Amino acid sequence: MELRIDRGAPRPIYQQISQFYRTRILQGALPPGFLLPPERTLARSLGVNRTTVMNAYAELKADRLVRGRVGHGTRVLPTSRDLPPRPREIAPLRWSDLARPSDAARDQELHDLLALSESRDTILLSLGFPAPELIPRQLLDDAVATVLRDRGPGAYFYGPAEGVTSFREALGDLMSARGVVCGADEILVTSGSQQALDLLARALIEPGDTVVVEEPTYLGALHVFRTARARLVTVPVDADGLSVDHLEHVLTRCQPKFVYTLPTYQNPSGALMSPRRRAQLLALAYRFGIPIVEDDIYGDLWYDQAPPPSLRALDRHGYVIYTSSFSKILAPGLRVGWISGPRAIVRRLVQVKQAADLQASTLSQMIVEQLLRSGGYARHAAAVRSRYAARRDAMESALRKRARGWAEWNRPGGGFYFWCRVTAPVPIGVLTAAAAQRDVSILPGAACLAEESADAHIRLSFSFAGVEEIAEGIAHLTAAVRHASGRVRPSERQPVATRPLI
Ligand SMILES: Cc1ncc(COP(=O)(O)O)c(C=O)c1O
């Protein structure tokens, strides 16, 4: 047992010393009463300053592991707790007390939504999942066969934490087609864009830090930022995207870690940020020195015309971190997403990714690479655009036919969602339950809000259900509204939404 210090290590020397003694005291190798070497002697033998040893011993004292008395040296203290008596019965361990606190109700919401994917009898208008029948089975099967033939067992092996190099190069090409010049070293492959958000939160957020989110926003992002114990400050979204006027006010009063935005076919509002807003948002970011996290998962899902360039494409000063994924167009089960950002932050995120799960699935990365290089991805994206456009139109005409008396909505130009303001006097909870009784699932708008408050919105997704199911679902939902409105007591009436949103 010899204390050896490493002068090249990032950890300061006094901590190396305290760590050495801490471990041995806790393991019992140094028993109570054991006398630690005098500070001067230890300093001399290690060739360090005496203050370094004093700082190390001060840490051990603060941890109540040793006590120092003038003239008596520094001794190991007795253990602070006695061994508990052997119990007759083993008490159940209270795991819920051990785990870090969570927002149980909110966490459950996300969990229940994912679980709905296995439901067979319900018309799912709540889910932002791609349609199972639009997953390109043949294309994927062929890509798997090609990858296994051409890349052999390597497809089943570990790869670099930042992602398979050739795949990142292919992603670089995809990014340049999206107007972003970015090398492979500015890209990190993630297990879906959900993980991209989680890695960003782990790398950037300290508990209590402020993060600006749109109101409403993607509920999975709220989950991540809350888990990181961020303080969430909201900025409303209107038909042109995030309100830069509100953001400017926020930025004059606080210094958030970043602004999280979905400029292109926002989840849930469907809003598309105008080119003018994009420029204004970047100008604000530069003025206040605030990074922007741009979630562009729906960018390729446009139905009328292609969206304006992404914030990352417009950014000339390295302020934007961009995330996207193949979940919505190819298959969510592949779990392939990516981050594109300035080199310095990508390097840091690679370390965080490594700690989280070493790397994204090698096989999945190679499958997607094959589809990018063969042109299969681009062809499939064009094909699904028209299929989802038909579903969007089906939902719009069903709403026009049935919901004019009880809801208001905007036609989304892309993405998967209608964000409906319910004008009928029904609390959303009551409506959700009444819809569920008619085998229709909808997402209460409150799930997408960072601030708890009465809200009159629901999110209706047109991606998962087919054209006929969508019409049927809206008919059932309308019946649910009628039924619920008739049963609501005046005191339960839905408050008029305070958020004009869109
Ligand atoms: C806006 C947004 N970001 C991220 C995700 C996460 O997607 P994935 O992790 O499957 O890439 C979703 C999924 O619905 C989403 O809507």
Side-chain angles (χ1 to χ4, degrees):
M1 180 179 70
E2 194 186 343
L3 169 53
R4 288 217 186 104
I5 55 174
D6 177 357
R7 290 175 198 280
R11 178 184 273 249
I13 291 173
Y14 82 91
Q15 281 183 6
Q16 295 182 38
I17 300 172
S18 61
Q19 177 67 39
F20 175 87
Y21 284 111
R22 181 181 295 110
T23 306
R24 274 141 195 94
I25 295 169
L26 291 174
Q27 288 175 348
L30 302 181
F34 181 89
L35 188 60
L36 264 53
E39 290 161 0
R40 206 184 294 275
T41 317
L42 183 59
R44 204 177 311 120
S45 72
L46 294 175
V48 301
N49 209 304
R50 185 171 165 208
T51 331
T52 307
V53 178
M54 283 166 66
N55 287 340
Y57 283 8
E59 277 211 334
L60 297 172
K61 283 176 197 160
D63 291 348
R64 295 176 198 279
L65 293 174
V66 300
R67 190 167 73 155
R69 276 169 53 213
V70 183
H72 291 82
T74 305
R75 285 186 188 276
V76 175
L77 280 171
T79 50
S80 57
R81 41 185 225 151
D82 298 327
L83 281 179
R86 247 176 235 282
R88 283 213 199 97
E89 280 175 27
I90 298 174
L93 202 52
R94 297 174 65 94
W95 283 106
S96 50
D97 293 350
L98 292 175
R100 279 171 53 171
S102 80
D103 188 342
R106 296 272 191 161
D107 294 355
Q108 193 60 34
E109 245 162 31
L110 190 56
H111 172 271
D112 293 350
L113 267 184
L114 289 167
L116 273 175
S117 62
E118 294 184 348
S119 151
R120 293 282 160 267
D121 312 322
T122 306
I123 299 180
L124 298 171
L125 304 182
S126 50
L127 299 181
F129 296 175
E133 64 277 18
L134 295 185
I135 288 178
R137 279 281 307 278
Q138 193 57 52
L139 209 57
L140 289 166
D141 290 354
D142 293 347
V144 173
T146 309
V147 165
L148 295 181
R149 188 192 64 216
D150 296 351
R151 304 184 83 157
Y156 291 126
F157 211 66
Y158 286 118
E162 56 270 37
V164 172
T165 307
S166 54
F167 178 45
R168 282 182 297 120
E169 284 162 3
L171 284 173
D173 295 343
L174 179 67
M175 289 304 290
S176 41
R178 293 183 182 183
V180 180
V181 182
C182 102
D185 57 347
E186 291 166 288
I187 290 175
L188 163 63
V189 180
T190 58
S191 302
S193 26
Q194 186 67 24
Q195 190 190 43
L197 299 176
D198 187 53
L199 299 179
L200 281 162
R202 290 182 201 212
L204 297 176
I205 301 174
E206 300 274 9
D209 277 350
T210 299
V211 169
V212 171
V213 295
E214 294 168 333
E215 187 86 321
T217 190
Y218 167 50
L219 81 162
L222 291 176
H223 187 77
V224 168
F225 301 151
R226 285 202 181 103
T227 304
R229 303 197 198 177
R231 188 173 304 171
L232 298 178
V233 172
T234 62
V235 173
V237 174
D238 63 24
D240 280 339
L242 173 150
S243 159
V244 283
D245 291 343
H246 284 82
L247 179 62
E248 185 171 1
H249 283 290
V250 168
L251 296 182
T252 54
R253 288 183 171 268
C254 71
Q255 174 84 16
K257 258 299 162 62
F258 56 82
V259 175
Y260 170 67
T261 178
L262 299 111
T264 308
Y265 312 126
Q266 212 245 12
N267 177 1
S269 71
L272 176 66
M273 193 184 284
S274 65
R276 187 177 143 85
R277 282 274 173 92
R278 288 173 194 241
Q280 289 172 325
L281 175 56
L282 284 172
L284 277 183
Y286 300 149
R287 192 165 118 218
F288 289 92
I290 308 294
I292 293 180
V293 173
E294 175 180 30
D295 186 336
D296 188 34
I297 195 167
Y298 298 102
D300 263 355
L301 284 164
W302 48 269
Y303 308 133
D304 303 322
Q305 64 204 40
S310 65
L311 295 168
R312 172 103 167 107
L314 298 169
D315 176 23
R316 294 284 164 267
H317 301 284
Y319 273 52
V320 178
I321 304 172
Y322 173 100
T323 75
S324 191
S325 111
F326 294 97
S327 289
K328 306 297 177 185
I329 290 191
L330 287 180
L334 289 170
R335 307 307 303 134
V336 180
W338 76 100
I339 293 175
S340 155
R343 234 167 251 119
I345 184 66
V346 168
R347 260 202 302 269
R348 177 73 192 103
L349 290 165
V350 172
Q351 295 165 344
V352 183
K353 163 84 181 160
Q354 204 167 294
D357 63 352
L358 294 184
Q359 56 153 131
S361 150
T362 310
L363 179 59
S364 288
Q365 294 182 67
M366 290 182 174
I367 293 169
V368 179
E369 181 187 340
Q370 169 61 23
L371 292 175
L372 287 176
R373 292 196 187 279
S374 67
Y377 171 78
R379 281 193 299 280
H380 179 68
V384 290
R385 273 200 282 275
S386 66
R387 303 287 296 276
Y388 285 124
R391 290 175 188 221
R392 187 256 332 245
D393 294 345
M395 184 167 275
E396 193 189 21
S397 66
L399 286 170
R400 278 212 190 138
K401 186 167 157 202
R402 307 215 179 247
R404 281 216 167 112
W406 62 262
E408 291 168 353
W409 61 89
N410 267 42
R411 172 187 162 90
F416 282 170
Y417 313 103
F418 279 82
W419 180 240
C420 298
R421 192 167 84 87
V422 176
T423 51
V426 195
I428 297 300
V430 174
L431 174 57
T432 309
Q437 278 170 0
R438 287 166 175 73
D439 293 327
V440 177
S441 96
I442 57 173
L443 184 73
C448 308
L449 303 179
E451 284 174 20
E452 308 277 345
S453 68
D455 182 78
H457 287 85
I458 55 174
R459 189 190 76 178
L460 298 178
S461 164
F462 54 83
S463 60
F464 196 78
V467 166
E468 275 157 31
E469 265 189 321
I470 287 174
E472 198 186 330
I474 299 296
H476 290 333
L477 186 55
T478 304
V481 172
R482 287 214 192 94
H483 176 83
S485 309
R487 300 182 143 234
V488 173
R489 278 175 294 206
S491 60
E492 282 180 346
R493 293 249 150 111
Q494 181 70 41
V496 175
T498 46
R499 293 162 221 271
L501 296 177
I502 66 168

